[in-house]
Amino acid sequence: MSMNKETDEKMSVIARVLDSDIWYSFTRSKVTMVAALVTFLIFASALFAPIISPHDPFDLASLSLMDSLLPPAWNAEGDPNYLLGTDDQGRDVLSTILYGSRISLAVGLVSVAFAAVLGITLGLVAGYMGGRVDAIIMRVADVQLSFPAILIALLIDGTVNALVGGMDRERSAFTVLVISIGLSFWVQYARTVRSSTLVERNKEYVQAARLIGLHPFLIMLRHVLPNVMGPVLVIATINLALAVITEATLSFLGVGIPGTQPSLGTMIRTGNDFLFSGEWWITFFPGAMLAALVLAVNLLGDWLRDALNPKLR
Amino acid sequence: MKDTLVNVENLTRIFDVSKPWLNRVIEREEKKLLLAVNGVSLEIRRGETFALVGESGSGKSTIAKMIVGLLSASQGKIDFDGIDLFQPGGAEMRALRQRYQMIFQDPFASLNPRWRVNKIIAEPLRKFDMESSESARHKRVEELLELVGMSAKDGVKFPHEFSGGQRQRIAIARALSSNPEFIVCDEPTSALDVSVQAQILNLMRDLQDELGLTYLFISHDLSVVRHMANRIGVLYLGRLVEVADGKELFRNPRHPYTKMLLNAIPDLDMTGREVARPDGEIPNPINPPSGCTFHPRCPIATEYCKREIPSARNSEAGSVACFEATGD
Amino acid sequence: MSDTLLGVKDLVVEFSTRRGILTAVDKVSFDLERGEVLGLVGESGAGKSITGSAIVGLIDPPGRIAAGTVHLAGQRIDNLPSEKMRRIRGDKIGMVFQDPLTSLNPLYTVAKQLVQTILTHKDISKKQARDRAIELLDKVGIPAADLRIDDYPHQFSGGMRQRVVIALALCADPELIIADEPTTALDVSVQSQIVGVLKKMCSEHGASVILITHDMGVIAEAADRVAVLYSGRMAEIGPVRDVIKHPQHPYTKGLMGSIPTITQEGDRLTQIPGSMPRLTDRPPGCAFAPRCEMAMDVCRQNHPEEKDVGTARVACHLMRKEGAVA
């Protein structure tokens, strides 16, 4: 069978991936494969939005109020130019969604990366050092956890706006979102990494490294970190979905991305005003996009958690 | 003339096992201290295998970790080749660290699962700047692999591709890479199957002969210890109750605990020797018995043993910490 | 009418994995007399625990019993529906595992667990059941059993817990007890106590025991007969004394030589080179052939049949001629 050692050595990285348990469990789950496909399509369309979208929603010159509030193309009053209709400013809904998911995903990815780096670092240090350092970091985490993400975001947004003023709002919005979402998510990484670190720290390979007098920083970086990344990957995936939702929520509440460069959340908020007058498409399509993205990413995260957890197999 | 390599004096380790401060205040509990190692003195001679035997809670692993510096001692002194291990400065410590190494119990936990074997074995080489170039290091790793009975080609694999015995060989190769004189072996075969245990024990003896190593061998298995050790120390609840030459300990055990352990060894030679079932169990080390901690299980204990703590009596054959023991 | 309690014939247990089908137990056969203690020894992965689980019908998917039969007291039990098998396990088979905590519910007192088990099997009053429970605890050597019976499992030490598990296994007066590594997690001095209790209780209750362990010492002390498994196959089965003193199969010989004993002189232990093959790449022919010094061509091609050699049954091509090979 395939355990032959000679061939094992020569296996390339790709072959190793194809042979791995993760890949196997991936190919065994139809739902996961569909979720991965959907995620990939959304990421790709967001990435290539400037190329594939039929209109440029930011090009004010091409906008015409004459075209505003058109229903989707298959409707009697629809315009074949605007497949999913247009919003109140005459922007093509499809193009805006593509550009909007670009912003939503960027906020999600950057804030998740920010939260992960912060949380992993603090969790590693807390778990490895223990004692007082651990106590302080984890108490800060507890305090952090008692503030809901939205409250933190509102606080930061309010503070920044007060300091910067309305002028730089457009420029600061992205940073404010990333920082506030990141700050409300790091605790989960810190706690998970800390508890895995507590386990790994007592394993004998870490003791072997301590024995030769390796610096604690190097032990954390070279030995502990690679072995605690499994659960982090799972959290990061699920957090991506959460971050996108939080961004949408904040934008919906008006503290997020401003209407000139709409994210999915901003679009939903705009559309919300027209929902009762019958222009459902402005809010429905961005909402469906958001739901599809979050569902797909969540399914991927769930699968990853099961695949990485040997106890469930 | 005896040539002492490691000298341990009055080594003591206390663990604080009490609940966190806040819980203690709320529940009005005292601090709980566990005396894991209690005034242990021993010397390990150059080139010998000194074994520490004991059951769980005897403190044998704690002693091992203190000697290699993985745990700090609460009291006492450890000299390595005449140098006080607890006092040295940076450069001296660095030089010392090269001279001792450790082999761990669980070969599945002692190798970083994300590193290739080459990198694992080369880590001490890198740390101590022992080879001039990358290729020299690589060559040394291959030599080490062959020294422990593996193939030089095995270096590119990951630990999970090996069986328990092979992993223990890799761990031994890593321990040998910095050319140490002294190796602490903490139950190196207790996680292995017997047929593999024999391979590892034989390998360790061969390496000792070849490289002139000194071993501190920690085990709970008296038969293994009998096979490996020149001298044996028996631990009970953190105290060294008896030290004797290997053969002598088995021929003429003096401490009643040693006798009990020997009698409990299964009769694999089918000689019809009656296996005596020991009485009682090891007491809770947080709340040990008064006086000699062995007295509740001891067949020859007197009233005096319940009050007084016996100190080690030295003699030609070794030392024994018991008021009633005979056979000096 | 022979006094056979358990008959295992050509038992095959397979696990289907993505790398194909693994045969974890390959045509293992043995009989167990009433009142007998049979040891199953082997290294990790030799299939000893799986054999035990297969007998009591506790093989979970992806594993399954692919062939062979198991008879308990004349009744075939390997093909029973799980509900019926569960009742047989409760009534006729007691089990003792390595970790006593897996058999005890941490939320209930020992009294509650014992009494409940007794009541499901016997039609007696609660008071009588409690008396019986105390009697059992006393018998397995728990001091002040009438006081300690109301303790929770975590209040007992490891050795005492294992005694409670033995008492629990005896509650229903089972005919067969399967003890899977019952002493492995215990200290040396406690180990031999537990072996003693197990042995005594079984002879008093007239139960047969399958003692699964990797420790030849435990076997030597407790078992009447021993079956040595290697890579899922039977290597040798026979009376303990004969197998230990005069092993026939080269594997058993190597195994016995590799165990350090306190009387042995000399520096080196006999060692068997290599390690047991993984189930995924078991060689054709005799599974031990690659490690065997005496392997012949036939060993690498054909799997040896089991043959009677003196008091033992041995699966080795060397046994073809006239019995024992020195």
Side-chain angles (χ1 to χ4, degrees):
Chain A
M1 287 176 209
S2 60
M3 297 303 259
N4 196 315
K5 288 183 184 82
E6 298 301 313
T7 53
D8 253 14
E9 277 175 35
K10 284 167 192 155
M11 262 204 270
S12 67
V13 177
I14 295 168
R16 275 230 316 276
V17 168
L18 289 179
D19 195 51
S20 69
D21 292 332
I22 299 256
W23 180 255
Y24 177 70
S25 93
F26 180 74
T27 54
R28 285 287 292 262
S29 162
K30 289 250 157 52
V31 175
T32 310
M33 289 173 77
V34 171
L37 184 70
V38 170
T39 312
F40 173 77
L41 284 178
I42 294 176
F43 269 83
S45 61
L47 191 64
F48 298 112
I51 302 168
I52 58 172
S53 62
H55 302 270
D56 182 355
F58 302 143
D59 182 9
L60 292 172
S62 73
L63 294 182
S64 157
L65 278 179
M66 294 296 290
D67 293 333
S68 70
L69 297 176
L70 286 174
W74 56 86
N75 231 301
E77 300 144 44
D79 181 332
N81 261 332
Y82 304 106
L83 187 64
L84 298 180
T86 58
D87 67 1
D88 58 327
Q89 296 180 41
R91 287 186 293 212
D92 174 35
V93 170
L94 176 62
S95 307
T96 321
I97 286 178
L98 293 177
Y99 276 93
S101 52
R102 203 172 149 94
I103 294 171
S104 289
L105 280 174
V107 171
L109 285 172
V110 178
S111 58
V112 163
F114 174 60
V117 170
L118 188 65
I120 291 169
T121 312
L122 291 174
L124 258 184
V125 171
Y128 191 80
M129 295 297 179
R132 208 163 293 169
V133 179
D134 179 29
I136 292 171
I137 293 178
M138 292 330 282
R139 288 307 79 76
V140 171
D142 289 345
V143 172
Q144 173 82 71
L145 216 58
S146 60
F147 288 98
I150 292 178
L151 188 61
I152 294 174
L154 290 172
L155 276 174
I156 294 179
D157 185 67
T159 321
V160 172
N161 278 345
L163 293 177
V164 183
M167 286 305 289
D168 288 322
R169 180 97 177 79
E170 276 176 34
R171 260 184 285 159
S172 66
F174 186 84
T175 321
V176 167
L177 272 179
V178 164
I179 291 179
S180 37
I181 296 174
L183 274 186
S184 52
F185 281 168
W186 71 269
V187 175
Q188 212 182 346
Y189 295 92
R191 288 195 163 175
T192 313
V193 168
R194 174 179 174 269
S195 63
S196 318
T197 304
L198 286 176
V199 175
E200 297 298 321
R201 181 182 70 172
N202 290 322
K203 286 208 179 147
E204 292 165 345
Y205 72 89
V206 173
Q207 295 186 17
R210 283 177 54 202
L211 192 76
I212 56 170
L214 207 64
H215 193 277
F217 174 73
L218 287 179
I219 296 181
M220 279 190 254
L221 191 70
R222 290 190 199 159
H223 288 281
V224 182
L225 183 62
N227 286 296
V228 299
M229 283 309 279
V232 168
L233 213 60
V234 176
I235 300 178
T237 315
I238 291 171
N239 263 357
L240 177 62
L242 272 177
V244 170
I245 287 193
T246 311
E247 183 277 326
T249 313
L250 289 171
S251 298
F252 185 83
L253 291 174
V255 289
I257 304 285
T260 45
Q261 284 197 348
S263 71
L264 290 176
T266 323
M267 291 178 74
I268 295 171
R269 183 191 58 180
T270 322
N272 194 39
D273 299 338
F274 297 89
L275 205 53
F276 290 105
S277 54
E279 285 91 12
W280 53 272
W281 57 90
I282 306 179
T283 197
F284 176 81
F285 292 114
M289 178 74 164
L290 182 67
L293 173 64
V294 169
L295 184 64
V297 172
N298 258 329
L299 286 172
L300 271 185
D302 278 354
W303 159 77
L304 200 59
R305 186 187 53 214
D306 295 350
L308 290 179
N309 186 352
K311 275 185 204 144
L312 287 175
R313 263 189 281 158
Chain B
M1 197 53 227
K2 61 184 182 184
D3 180 10
T4 305
L5 181 67
V6 179
N7 190 38
V8 173
E9 257 172 61
N10 196 28
L11 195 64
T12 300
R13 171 72 202 200
I14 299 165
F15 286 110
D16 186 349
V17 289
S18 34
K19 292 180 180 159
W21 172 77
L22 197 60
N23 299 43
R24 263 202 335 266
V25 173
I26 293 169
E27 292 162 32
R28 290 166 193 277
E29 276 186 20
E30 295 288 299
K31 259 196 163 186
K32 268 191 206 154
L33 297 178
L34 187 150
L35 197 55
V37 176
N38 189 353
V40 167
S41 300
L42 52 90
E43 51 167 44
I44 302 167
R45 297 166 197 164
R46 210 180 286 277
E48 78 170 351
T49 300
F50 185 92
L52 280 176
V53 270
E55 300 177 84
S56 62
S58 64
K60 52 190 192 302
S61 286
T62 310
I63 294 178
K65 283 183 182 162
M66 284 192 285
I67 290 179
V68 295
L70 287 176
L71 265 180
S72 61
S74 304
Q75 265 174 52
K77 191 165 164 251
I78 301 172
D79 283 347
F80 185 88
D81 204 9
I83 307 163
D84 189 339
L85 272 188
F86 298 153
Q87 303 295 338
E92 201 175 7
M93 194 65 218
R94 195 182 140 91
L96 264 180
R97 278 213 176 97
Q98 256 185 72
R99 299 174 60 187
Y100 55 78
Q101 261 294 348
M102 185 159 176
I103 301 170
F104 298 91
Q105 173 176 3
D106 183 358
F108 292 86
S110 65
L111 309 175
N112 187 341
R114 312 233 164 219
W115 283 22
R116 287 179 198 276
V117 169
N118 274 335
K119 196 174 168 191
I120 291 173
I121 298 177
E123 192 181 26
L125 295 176
R126 246 178 255 276
K127 164 72 189 162
F128 297 122
D129 291 326
M130 292 187 62
E131 300 288 339
S132 49
S133 67
E134 190 62 36
S135 64
R137 245 196 312 264
H138 193 74
K139 200 156 161 279
R140 172 86 178 121
V141 169
E142 288 185 343
E143 281 168 21
L144 284 163
L145 276 171
E146 274 165 6
L147 185 66
V148 297
M150 310 255 312
S151 153
K153 286 185 296 181
D154 287 334
V156 296
K157 297 187 194 169
F158 285 99
H160 70 87
E161 296 174 59
F162 297 98
S163 67
Q166 289 171 314
R167 287 179 195 220
Q168 201 59 299
R169 286 173 194 269
I170 295 168
I172 292 173
R174 171 180 62 191
L176 292 175
S177 67
S178 64
N179 284 326
E181 300 151 59
F182 175 58
I183 298 185
V184 174
C185 319
D186 188 4
E187 305 246 15
T189 60
S190 63
L192 305 175
D193 284 316
V194 265
S195 74
V196 178
Q197 164 173 292
Q199 296 171 7
I200 298 295
L201 292 179
N202 284 340
L203 173 69
M204 287 177 61
R205 290 193 74 130
D206 294 345
L207 290 170
Q208 182 169 39
D209 293 344
E210 207 170 313
L211 305 169
L213 298 167
T214 307
Y215 287 143
L216 171 62
F217 192 93
I218 313 272
S219 181
H220 67 274
D221 187 334
L222 276 169
S223 317
V224 170
V225 161
R226 159 83 166 68
H227 181 73
M228 292 296 287
N230 303 100
R231 288 192 310 132
I232 298 169
V234 182
L235 286 165
Y236 186 73
L237 278 180
R239 276 177 213 272
L240 202 53
V241 295
E242 179 165 1
V243 179
D245 279 356
K247 299 244 160 66
E248 186 60 23
L249 187 90
F250 285 85
R251 206 178 306 131
N252 184 18
R254 293 188 293 163
H255 196 282
Y257 176 61
T258 317
K259 287 181 186 164
M260 189 183 96
L261 280 182
L262 286 179
N263 284 332
I265 296 177
D267 179 20
L268 255 183
D269 299 308
M270 289 287 168
T271 53
R273 167 171 66 87
E274 189 55 41
V275 174
R277 314 237 177 263
D279 294 324
E281 295 188 355
I282 304 165
N284 185 347
I286 294 176
N287 192 9
S290 62
C292 171
T293 47
F294 186 61
H295 82 256
R297 301 171 77 184
C298 181
I300 55 170
T302 62
E303 277 304 309
Y304 190 65
C305 302
K306 294 181 188 169
R307 294 194 314 269
E308 300 295 322
I309 298 168
S311 52
R313 285 185 289 141
N314 291 307
S315 69
E316 198 59 20
S319 74
V320 59
C322 177
F323 297 118
E324 301 294 317
T326 50
D328 289 345
Chain C
M1 190 54 217
S2 85
D3 221 10
T4 305
L5 173 69
L6 179 78
V8 177
K9 189 139 183 49
D10 292 334
L11 184 71
V12 178
V13 179
E14 289 178 349
F15 286 80
S16 49
T17 71
R18 67 187 182 99
R19 295 184 193 278
I21 288 175
L22 297 185
T23 313
V25 176
D26 192 7
K27 288 197 177 172
V28 166
S29 308
F30 58 86
D31 288 336
L32 183 66
E33 309 282 302
R34 278 181 200 278
E36 187 187 34
V37 180
L38 174 74
L40 278 187
V41 273
E43 301 177 40
S44 45
K48 51 191 194 303
S49 285
I50 296 174
T51 305
S53 308
I55 290 169
V56 296
L58 284 179
I59 299 280
D60 291 323
R64 66 187 187 100
I65 298 180
T69 57
V70 180
H71 285 87
L72 180 70
Q75 184 192 6
R76 185 164 172 192
I77 60 169
D78 58 284
N79 53 1
L80 289 180
S82 61
E83 183 52 33
K84 268 196 178 146
M85 194 57 217
R86 209 171 59 86
R87 201 158 311 136
I88 287 188
R89 270 204 302 274
D91 287 346
K92 296 187 173 167
I93 305 176
M95 282 178 283
V96 180
F97 294 108
Q98 173 173 347
D99 180 4
L101 287 179
T102 55
S103 318
L104 297 171
N105 187 330
L107 299 178
Y108 294 124
T109 61
V110 164
K112 187 157 186 175
Q113 302 185 44
L114 284 169
V115 168
Q116 224 156 44
T117 315
I118 294 172
L119 285 178
T120 45
H121 296 288
K122 285 212 168 77
D123 198 15
I124 53 176
S125 74
K126 246 189 165 160
K127 175 83 184 62
Q128 284 170 310
R130 190 181 158 89
D131 289 345
R132 167 112 178 98
I134 293 175
E135 187 194 324
L136 276 172
L137 286 182
D138 192 49
K139 272 192 181 168
V140 294
I142 289 182
D146 50 336
L147 299 175
R148 299 222 61 188
I149 189 167
D150 290 311
D151 283 352
Y152 287 88
H154 69 90
Q155 290 168 292
F156 290 86
S157 69
M160 287 298 159
R161 250 180 241 151
Q162 198 60 296
R163 288 170 199 259
V164 173
V165 173
I166 294 175
L168 195 63
L170 289 170
C171 275
D173 277 323
E175 294 174 74
L176 172 66
I177 290 178
I178 298 199
D180 193 349
E181 303 269 8
T183 62
T184 306
L186 304 173
D187 272 312
V188 201
S189 67
V190 182
Q191 259 182 25
S192 80
Q193 293 173 2
I194 296 297
V195 170
V197 167
L198 199 63
K199 204 171 155 184
K200 174 172 142 244
M201 295 316 292
C202 298
S203 64
E204 279 178 17
H205 285 250
S208 310
V209 182
I210 294 182
L211 179 60
I212 299 168
T213 178
H214 67 280
D215 188 341
M216 264 298 184
V218 172
I219 296 285
E221 271 194 61
D224 301 313
R225 280 194 306 146
V226 57
V228 183
L229 294 180
Y230 185 81
S231 191
R233 293 169 181 162
M234 184 77 76
E236 178 163 5
I237 179 169
V240 163
R241 211 188 150 74
D242 297 346
V243 172
I244 287 182
K245 288 220 92 166
H246 307 290
Q248 300 293 332
H249 196 286
Y251 172 64
T252 324
K253 277 183 193 162
L255 192 66
M256 293 312 302
S258 64
I259 304 172
T261 63
I262 50 166
T263 49
Q264 168 195 329
E265 296 294 331
D267 278 354
R268 289 186 71 85
L269 297 163
T270 319
Q271 69 178 52
I272 312 175
S275 53
M276 199 166 72
R278 294 185 190 186
L279 293 177
T280 43
D281 49 8
R282 187 157 45 196
C286 175
F288 186 62
R291 300 173 74 186
C292 183
E293 284 180 351
M294 289 178 282
M296 306 169 290
D297 284 342
V298 59
C299 301
R300 294 183 194 99
Q301 285 144 21
N302 298 322
H303 176 49
E305 296 292 314
E306 291 176 21
K307 297 172 202 76
D308 287 322
V309 181
T311 51
R313 201 147 49 92
V314 185
C316 177
H317 288 297
L318 288 169
M319 304 297 139
R320 178 168 293 165
K321 292 124 197 173
E322 68 288 346
V325 174

